[in-house]
Amino acid sequence: MEGIVRSVVLTKGVPDFSEGAVSFNEEGHLERGKTPTVMNPNDEFALQAALQTKVRHGGHVSGMSMGPPGYASVLEEAMESVYTDDSYLLSDRELAASDTWATAITLCSALEKYQEEVADVDLVFAGFKTADGETGQTGPQTCWGLDWPIVTHVLALDIDPDEGILRAKRLVEGDVDEIETVEAPLPCVVIADPEFEPTYRKATHRLTHKQLRGETRERAADHEEYLTTWDHQDLNLDPDYIGLDGSPTIVSAVDPIPKAPSEREATMVDPSDEDGMEKIFDEMHAFAGGD
Amino acid sequence: MSRGFGSATGGTDGYEHYDAVVVGCGPGGAAAAARLADHGVETLVLERGVEAGSKNVSGGLLYAEESAPYTLDDFFPDFRTEAAERPVTDYHIHNLSGNRVKTYDLTDLHEHDTDWCDAVLRRPMDSWLERRVHEKTSETGGGVLTGVRVNGLLRENGEIVGVTCDELDPIKADLIVAADGVNSELARDAGLMDWEEPDEWFQGVKAVVEMDSETIADRFDIEEDEGVAHLFSGDLFQDVRGGGFLYTNEDSLSIGTVFHLDSLVEEQAEPHELLDALLTHPLLAQWFRGEYDEREYAAKLVPDSKKVAHREPYRDRLVLVGDAAGQMQAQGPIIKGMNHAVTAGALAADAFVVTRGNADPEAAGRRYTTMLEKSGTMDKLRPRRYDISRRVGERDVVTNAVERVLDSRIGSVAVGNPIAERALKRAYNSPFLVSMLSDTRTGYVSLPALIGEEHGRTVHWENEIEPPTLAERIGDLTYDTDVGNPHIRLRDESYEASGAAVAACPVSAEDFGGGCYRSETVETNGSEERLVSLDTQPCVECGTCAIVADTEWEHPRGGKGVEYREG
């Protein structure tokens, strides 16, 4: 390795579940067409981890996503917010309706193609889980396909490019949360925890960060120039093993969770209504402390 | 448990190292950094605001003196067209006595030794400078970082070798330029400046008032590339020693008041009320015509260079420039600060370059001191004649005598005769005489009021504008509060020790619950005690309370606290 680090960040577009943006039909099902797509919120931490690595050690970060052509906007967002160098979108009809397994197979093929045609990869970053599926499986399954080590729930990390080692602090949840420090050889898959916080305590790092921001502004304005789209033929994938056909997961039914009935009642009383106010005091008296 | 990893870069001792670290990106820091970069020096600039200028306030006039070795446009040639407001082409002082006003044209004084003079607003000006400085310093391996607060000096074996920061690991440097303003934490850490005596400081408050460019041209009778400066003195500020100003910007006015801090404390005057006294004076009705839209209320402490400009502003590898070194000259009614900061910053850079390689860590500081003297800068900041008159104590004797005469019938006759009027106008325009105007009531109140009374005409305009209340002014400011981490702590909450802050703090007032300082009476064991409480949320970081109250005073962390949009 030449002291610079090559990273690929896996990211996904998800429905914007924020208040006002999300749209449900009468049965309570998500109306995908009416709800805008945004970057999966947890991917932000993966991207921040990749950016921190690039700022500290130099190198190159590619964003990668599988989804419809519209997901290019998610990759563009990644370029704007965390300065990825280029974007790879895995997209065609055969890939539609993939579950985590079919997605992982597709991502593995894309990463292998990337290594053959673009560059050797040192680190693959992925978010903790997606806001729509919430399974947290795609990252580990992709890793299994690559046959690389994986470090999950990463809170902080540093790379020793000369030794080819990653050191990470990871959260171990239990009765008492613990933070353990681990080492792993590169290449490696890193799943960033939502509590991951990039740290830039060196002036040189902050200056690099600022320089990247300036450079990226120009690049993001011209995102299509930096976008590569691969379909299932480019990835040499058999349609039987990808997309809906390659997805063993069967969603049998989606049941809306009924809203709990409200137990509260409100009665409006005019403060000048003496009898009404008197009644309130009588009712509240039982709850008052003291005698 | 620490969650981060340190990563070792830089020197063998684990510290990052830059040839020069400049703290603060106002005009002094910008000039120092630009000059260092011009010399090829690797320079890191650390600025605590989210953007340079977001923490900075000035009355608003930037001078370029003919006699100065450096002016800002030497380093930033398109500064005046890109970052300044209007040049001052007319300069007047108004002597006020009630509704009577006598106006003198001060243009001669203003133009003395002046190459150019522009009104400026600090946020647009300093943020422009920051971008240029970043470009220049990037070329020599450095750059500007914002949102980083330098909180002290890094020492090794008692010697200053670098800086410590809230946001970054300590950094070593061969030269440290403290251009961190009037509340310089580095100057205090080095033991070079203290914050003890109110009579060494002025406090200014300012309102930036909306007025579009066409209206300004119309109401001040000026062209697009012209601007005016008006000064106000006399009895409109009660007996508080100080005065007011009005400058025209591109599409706003800067209107403010500046007072001796000891006088503010003595009179228990409320700075915002004194500003309102100026804003609502009938004389200003001609410009407002009933319309008043305040964009921003701001405050700043101003060092009186005659008393505090440091004669040897260095220690080890640290040099002080600008306000941090007390380099703010009050030349009678004209206050010059930014220009001296620019000169000092550039001289410090030159001093570093010519002494580079010298093993003595204080070589640059000593050379800088010599350069301040040889360039005449120090004599402007600390006029020898002022020192002499102060030493022999003549000033007070003379002042008292003059004051008694002015109060008498003879005084009115003397000042009031036509020959005196011509002489007075000449006197006001003499740089020598105005610098001798003492810091007492005479120069600020008695004489101007008497001039207004004897020679003035009565202004019959009605000024009906209503300036915002203090609560509204605070409400309009932008803050990023560092919740749970107040940057000021009251060491002594008794009214005797800290009560002066309640009135003197520009965002506090007696009987106002929304300010920083509040006074309250607490009953304990039957006896009453008057105490002071502090809430730093509305703080505008001027530093007044550090002097008039008993506090532990620091700046908020990088990017936190007040953020000025105009400045």
Side-chain angles (χ1 to χ4, degrees), chain A residues 56 155-158 167-169 171 179 181 195 199-207 210, chain B residues 1-5 7 9 14 16 18 44 134 142-145 148 166-169 171:
Chain A
R56 289 191 183 178
L155 300 170
L157 85 158
D158 199 32
R167 266 184 291 273
K169 290 190 179 180
L171 186 66
I179 296 170
T181 305
E195 285 190 47
T199 50
Y200 300 104
R201 297 281 306 175
K202 298 282 176 198
T204 45
H205 294 159
R206 291 203 181 203
L207 289 171
K210 185 171 175 173
Chain B
M1 189 185 315
S2 163
R3 290 189 163 192
F5 276 105
S7 68
T9 55
E16 269 190 289
Y18 285 85
L44 176 68
H134 183 67
V144 181
L145 291 178
V148 176
D166 287 351
E167 292 78 15
L168 299 176
D169 295 337
I171 301 167

Side-chain angles (χ1 to χ4, degrees), chain B residues 423-444:
Chain B
L424 281 165
K425 188 187 167 190
R426 264 220 321 277
Y428 262 113
N429 272 295
S430 153
F432 175 78
L433 285 175
V434 294
S435 71
M436 293 300 284
L437 271 181
S438 59
D439 301 332
T440 60
R441 226 179 128 253
T442 316
Y444 287 114

Side-chain angles (χ1 to χ4, degrees), chain A residues 115-134:
Chain A
Q115 301 222 76
E116 280 163 24
E117 297 180 8
V118 186
D120 280 342
V121 175
D122 302 302
L123 287 162
V124 170
F125 290 93
F128 166 55
K129 59 187 181 186
T130 57
D132 50 356
E134 293 246 347

Side-chain angles (χ1 to χ4, degrees), chain B residues 115-445:
Chain B
D115 182 10
W116 54 265
C117 170
D118 291 349
V120 294
L121 289 168
R122 295 296 296 278
R123 180 69 184 265
M125 164 178 150
D126 293 24
S127 60
W128 183 89
L129 287 174
E130 178 206 315
R131 291 189 291 275
R132 298 292 91 75
V133 170
H134 183 67
E135 284 165 17
K136 280 189 180 231
T137 49
S138 294
E139 284 172 21
T140 55
V144 181
L145 291 178
T146 54
V148 176
R149 172 183 164 250
V150 172
N151 58 23
L153 295 162
L154 179 69
R155 290 180 173 86
E156 252 175 25
N157 305 320
E159 186 187 314
I160 297 163
V161 293
V163 294
T164 58
C165 316
D166 287 351
E167 292 78 15
L168 299 176
D169 295 337
I171 301 167
K172 284 189 171 181
D174 301 335
L175 173 74
I176 302 141
V177 180
D180 52 342
V182 68
N183 308 324
S184 172
E185 281 161 312
L186 296 189
R188 277 185 295 153
D189 189 341
L192 292 171
M193 299 287 276
D194 64 33
W195 286 11
E196 302 295 339
E197 302 303 327
D199 73 344
E200 295 174 345
W201 305 85
F202 303 93
Q203 185 210 67
V205 294
K206 183 175 84 161
V208 176
V209 182
E210 178 85 26
M211 190 174 281
D212 67 60
S213 158
E214 280 173 26
T215 310
I216 291 175
D218 179 44
R219 293 188 189 166
F220 291 89
D221 192 22
I222 51 176
E223 303 289 323
E224 211 174 282
D225 54 351
E226 293 177 331
V228 300
H230 291 274
L231 300 179
F232 308 89
S233 62
D235 63 2
L236 80 167
F237 305 120
Q238 301 138 34
D239 276 342
V240 193
R241 284 177 281 119
F245 61 84
L246 179 155
Y247 309 135
T248 48
N249 302 315
E250 293 281 356
D251 59 359
S252 63
L253 307 176
S254 290
I255 306 174
T257 46
V258 183
F259 297 98
H260 283 271
L261 187 55
D262 57 330
S263 180
L264 274 177
V265 170
E266 218 167 275
E267 307 289 336
Q268 292 189 325
E270 298 281 1
H272 68 283
E273 287 177 2
L274 297 174
L275 173 65
D276 291 346
L278 171 61
L279 292 170
T280 56
H281 191 277
L283 184 62
L284 274 74
Q286 58 181 317
W287 299 310
F288 292 146
R289 314 233 176 127
E291 298 162 15
Y292 185 84
D293 180 7
E294 192 171 297
R295 279 198 209 160
E296 188 172 87
Y297 172 73
K300 175 179 171 29
L301 213 54
V302 181
D304 185 350
S305 70
K306 291 194 295 295
K307 296 170 182 165
V308 296
H310 206 291
R311 291 189 181 283
E312 295 181 332
Y314 69 91
R315 177 146 303 162
D316 302 335
R317 297 170 190 282
L318 172 78
V319 294
L320 314 180
V321 309
D323 273 7
Q327 295 164 344
M328 173 77 79
Q329 176 197 8
Q331 190 184 33
I334 293 179
I335 294 184
K336 293 178 174 180
M338 292 178 280
N339 58 316
H340 295 310
V342 167
T343 297
L347 291 179
D350 289 346
F352 173 69
V353 171
V354 296
T355 57
R356 227 176 164 182
N358 189 322
D360 179 357
E362 295 203 320
R366 261 201 313 279
R367 179 63 67 97
Y368 166 55
T369 301
T370 311
M371 285 171 152
L372 282 173
E373 276 164 17
K374 286 202 169 152
S375 62
T377 311
M378 192 49 79
D379 196 48
K380 290 175 190 165
L381 295 169
R382 299 196 74 137
R384 238 161 270 142
R385 54 181 178 271
Y386 178 84
D387 275 357
I388 293 164
S389 69
R390 193 188 197 192
R391 211 171 307 135
V392 295
E394 248 175 16
R395 235 157 30 90
D396 294 345
V397 178
V398 173
T399 307
N400 289 341
V402 172
E403 193 75 9
R404 273 202 300 277
V405 173
L406 287 177
D407 280 344
S408 69
R409 175 87 193 108
I410 300 166
S412 305
V413 171
V415 175
N417 77 57
I419 297 165
E421 192 197 337
R422 282 201 300 280
L424 281 165
K425 188 187 167 190
R426 264 220 321 277
Y428 262 113
N429 272 295
S430 153
F432 175 78
L433 285 175
V434 294
S435 71
M436 293 300 284
L437 271 181
S438 59
D439 301 332
T440 60
R441 226 179 128 253
T442 316
Y444 287 114
V445 185

